[in-house]
Amino acid sequence: VSPRLRKALALFGRLPGVGEKTAHRYVLHLLTASGDLASELGRAVLELPTHFAPCSSCGNIAELAGATSAQCAICTDHKRDAKLLCVVARVTDLMAFEKPGTYRGVYFVLSGLLSPLEGIGPDALPIAQLLKRIQSEQIREVILATPATVDGEATALFLRREMQALDVTVSRIASGIPHGGDIEFIDSVTLGRALEGRKTL
Ligand SMILES: [Zn+2]
């Protein structure tokens, strides 16, 4: 395989859910598809970092408008309850919780979970930033909406302990989320109910 091809394959392979086989399929498709798919895709990808960045408050994806600091559409929506904070592992989970359209609070994206097995400790996550935000913005309630996996539960437990000294109600999304379930693939109704039925810890 030519170095150029090998590089393209390796880059596709770094995308979530794309293994060696799929990377091959994508690259072959780009090389053989009619029209301009490869250049169009390349241009669209190239423009992404110029127009989008992680929200400076919550970690959601924010569309950059002008030179103002990046804040997402949720954080800048004044009709939302800024004192109700839902902590999620990933942006895809945030999007899943947004789908039912019933949650009116704001979010904090951890961009990962604690994982002793993979060597991901508290220092690898923006936990200090989360605790600071809870205090400085006088958050009333934190909903721990990490998935019902070993790492998700461990992270929720750790965060609950860290928040014990703070003047804030901490709740955990209700079960009904299957154990080991990936939040982004759970239907909207179940997710809406999980938020509604959250339990104070
Ligand atoms: Zn935001």
Side-chain angles (χ1 to χ4, degrees):
V1 185
S2 91
R4 204 168 259 142
L5 267 182
R6 206 180 306 137
K7 186 172 181 195
L9 289 169
L11 287 170
F12 273 105
R14 279 164 62 179
L15 296 173
V18 178
E20 207 178 320
K21 257 191 190 164
T22 310
H24 265 98
R25 271 179 53 211
Y26 285 172
V27 172
L28 284 179
H29 183 77
L30 288 172
L31 290 176
T32 54
S34 58
D36 241 3
L37 183 59
S39 355
E40 269 188 69
L41 181 68
R43 270 197 299 275
V45 170
L46 202 62
E47 284 179 1
L48 285 176
T50 331
H51 296 284
F52 298 92
C55 172
S56 55
S57 305
C58 76
N60 184 20
I61 293 162
E63 187 155 14
L64 301 172
T68 52
S69 76
Q71 269 212 315
C72 73
I74 294 173
C75 288
T76 50
D77 181 351
H78 298 299
K79 287 201 281 293
R80 299 187 76 119
D81 181 352
K83 307 285 181 200
L84 178 62
L85 187 72
C86 181
V87 178
V88 294
R90 296 176 300 169
V91 171
T92 45
D93 295 346
L94 178 157
M95 286 170 175
F97 280 115
E98 279 300 286
K99 245 186 237 158
T102 46
Y103 178 66
R104 299 306 300 157
V106 292
Y107 293 92
F108 189 90
V109 182
L110 290 171
S111 302
L113 292 169
L114 294 178
S115 179
L117 285 178
E118 286 175 49
I120 303 170
D123 292 341
L125 301 178
I127 290 172
Q129 195 187 329
L130 169 63
L131 298 175
K132 205 174 134 202
R133 182 169 167 195
I134 292 169
Q135 285 181 294
S136 66
E137 296 181 18
Q138 294 156 347
I139 301 295
R140 179 184 73 243
E141 179 181 349
V142 173
I143 306 170
L144 300 173
T146 52
T149 57
V150 173
D151 291 349
E153 297 292 359
T155 306
L157 198 70
F158 179 85
L159 290 177
R160 182 192 122 68
R161 269 198 227 118
E162 290 290 302
M163 290 167 193
Q164 224 150 30
L166 304 180
D167 183 24
V168 65
T169 301
V170 181
S171 56
R172 178 91 175 104
I173 46 170
S175 48
I177 305 271
H179 182 78
D182 228 337
I183 281 176
E184 65 175 301
F185 300 121
I186 297 169
D187 69 280
S188 298
V189 178
T190 307
L191 277 185
R193 278 191 199 138
L195 273 178
E196 289 295 313
R198 63 185 182 270
K199 300 263 186 320
T200 304
L201 297 173

